[in-house]
Amino acid sequence: PDQIPVFDPANRLEFVTGARPAPDQFVATGAPWTGAFRGYSAVAMTSNQGHGFGPNLSRWVPLLEATDRFGRNRGALGAILYNYDGFYRGSAWAFFGVTNKDLFGPDYPQAKALLLSTVAALQRRLYLHDTDTEFSAYQPGETVRFRTRVSNDGRQAATVSVALAATPEGAAQPLRFAQPVVVKPGATADVSFTWLVPQTGAEGLCRFAFTLLAEGKPLDRETNAVFLGPGRGGGKLAALGRRGAYFTLGDRPLFLLGSQTYWGQNGSVTARSPLAFDRDFALMQDYGLHFSRLFVPFKTDSDRRQSDAMVQLAQRHRIVFYHAPNLHNTADPKVLAEETVTARELAERYRGTP
C-alpha cells in the first residue's frame, strides 16, 4: 500500500512531436509546446487493487497531452495525482516523465507559468473526484442522479461553487445546475443533482462535466457520461455469422481482431466510466479492432445497467462484444443451476446483438 504508483516502464513517450494543455484542467494553459519529447508517460495507478478493481484512492489529472505529427494523443508529459484515500491520503504529487529535454528550462517560455500554477494547485489541494451517475444506463421516465465529491486537503476552509453541465445527444442546449459548497480543511463534500429522463428526445450518450469554481474562477473539472435509451442492445450491427474460415457481419466477411478491454472493475469509478468506454471503443474502431472480450459482473441491477451501457457503446463503434459474466468452473449443482439462469438471461437480454 505504500508503493508510489507513478509511471509505467511499458508506457513510453514515442513518436511525440509536441504537446498541448490537456483538456478539462486549469493548471497548464497557453500555447502548445514543440519538441520531440522522449521518456515516460506521466501515468499513475488510482487504486492499489489488482487490475484496478477499486475503489479508487486517487484522482489522476494529466496536464500536458503529448501529440504526434497527426495530432493524436501519445500520452502525458506531466500530471498531478490527488490522493483522497489510502496510505497517502491528503497528499498531492506532480510528476513529469520527459527525459531528453528540460521542460522547465529556457527553451520553453511557458515553463514559468506552468511551474507556478502547478505549485499553487499542490498547495491548494482542492479538487473534484468520483464523478459519476448512480447507474451507468437509464430508461425513459427514470431519474438520473449526477454525483461528484469535493475534497479540500488544503489548510483553509474553501467556499466554492460546483456547476454541472449535461448534454444529451441531439440536445440544443446543455442542462445546467449549480450549488454553493463550503468545505473545511481535511473534509469532503458530496454534491448531486437529479434529472428526469423524458419519454422521447433523450437517447444515446449524455456527456456531463462538473466544474469547481472559486470566486467565479474555474479550478478543476471532471467529466463522465451516462447512456440513455429504451433499448439494451441490438439494432446497431448486423447479425454475427460464419462463412468458411471467416466471421461475417451480415453478408460481409470480417477477420475479427481485438483485445481484452475490461476485467470487471465495477468498483472503480474511472474503470467503469461510460465516457472511457466510448473513448476506448472509438480508438479500437480507428485502429481496425472489432472484437473485445470483457469480464462483466451481472448480479445486481447496477451490474446489469453497467453491462447495458457497455453493450450499447460497443455497438456504436462496430465492436463485437464477447460478454464474459465471470461464471466459474464448478461441479456444485446449485451453482450450476444459478449460472444457467444467468446465461439464459444474458442470451435473452442481448438477443440479436453481436
Side-chain angles (χ1 to χ4, degrees), residues 130-138 142-148 164 166 177 179 190-197 208 210 224-226 228 272 305:
D130 291 338
T131 293
D132 70 350
T133 48
E134 188 173 4
F135 303 112
S136 290
Y138 288 85
E142 294 183 330
T143 299
V144 181
R145 182 176 298 276
F146 300 96
R147 310 182 296 191
T148 195
L164 168 67
F177 307 85
Q179 177 181 322
D190 294 311
V191 179
S192 65
F193 302 101
T194 59
W195 173 63
L196 181 66
V197 182
F208 63 92
F210 278 97
N224 207 328
V226 59
L228 309 175
R272 69 173 184 260
R305 290 172 184 256

Side-chain angles (χ1 to χ4, degrees), residues 240-249 252-256:
L240 182 68
R242 184 172 67 86
R243 184 187 304 157
Y246 290 91
F247 286 105
T248 60
L249 280 177
R252 179 184 176 186
L254 186 67
F255 181 74
L256 287 176

Side-chain angles (χ1 to χ4, degrees), residues 177-329:
F177 307 85
Q179 177 181 322
V181 181
V182 177
V183 193
K184 295 180 180 180
T188 296
D190 294 311
V191 179
S192 65
F193 302 101
T194 59
W195 173 63
L196 181 66
V197 182
Q199 293 295 333
T200 58
E203 296 183 13
L205 195 65
C206 174
R207 301 170 186 268
F208 63 92
F210 278 97
T211 303
L212 180 67
L213 303 102
E215 298 180 348
K217 178 183 178 181
L219 300 178
D220 191 22
R221 177 174 292 152
E222 191 171 30
T223 59
N224 207 328
V226 59
F227 201 90
L228 309 175
R232 294 191 171 104
K236 299 294 183 182
L237 287 181
L240 182 68
R242 184 172 67 86
R243 184 187 304 157
Y246 290 91
F247 286 105
T248 60
L249 280 177
D251 294 330
R252 179 184 176 186
L254 186 67
F255 181 74
L256 287 176
L257 183 67
S259 65
Q260 170 83 25
T261 309
Y262 195 60
W263 290 91
Q265 314 99 297
N266 281 9
S268 167
V269 65
T270 48
R272 69 173 184 260
S273 162
L275 187 64
F277 274 106
D278 187 62
R279 175 202 63 208
D280 292 349
F281 288 151
L283 283 172
M284 289 180 67
Q285 184 179 21
D286 288 345
Y287 284 105
L289 302 177
H290 294 287
F291 178 85
S292 183
R293 183 182 71 167
L294 305 96
F295 292 116
V296 186
F298 203 74
K299 295 181 179 180
T300 67
D301 180 49
S302 180
D303 289 343
R304 290 172 173 83
R305 290 172 184 256
Q306 176 69 36
S307 174
D308 290 345
M310 294 162 64
V311 169
Q312 292 276 14
L313 290 168
Q315 292 280 290
R316 290 156 63 95
H317 295 291
R318 298 183 58 78
I319 306 296
V320 174
F321 197 105
Y322 177 7
H323 198 302
N326 283 351
L327 304 182
H328 302 287
N329 297 322

Side-chain angles (χ1 to χ4, degrees), residues 16-92:
V16 176
T17 59
R20 59 198 173 206
D24 302 316
Q25 55 81 38
F26 304 96
V27 176
T29 59
W33 300 55
T34 58
F37 300 108
R38 296 194 299 274
Y40 299 89
S41 181
V43 295
M45 290 176 58
T46 56
S47 166
N48 59 15
Q49 304 298 320
H51 296 305
F53 281 106
N56 286 20
L57 308 176
S58 310
R59 162 102 186 279
W60 175 68
V61 182
L63 302 179
L64 290 175
E65 184 179 84
T67 55
D68 62 15
R69 63 192 179 98
F70 302 108
R72 298 176 300 193
N73 187 345
R74 298 298 305 179
L77 299 192
I80 289 178
L81 192 70
Y82 295 108
N83 300 296
Y84 53 83
D85 206 346
F87 189 84
Y88 292 106
R89 180 176 181 175
S91 66

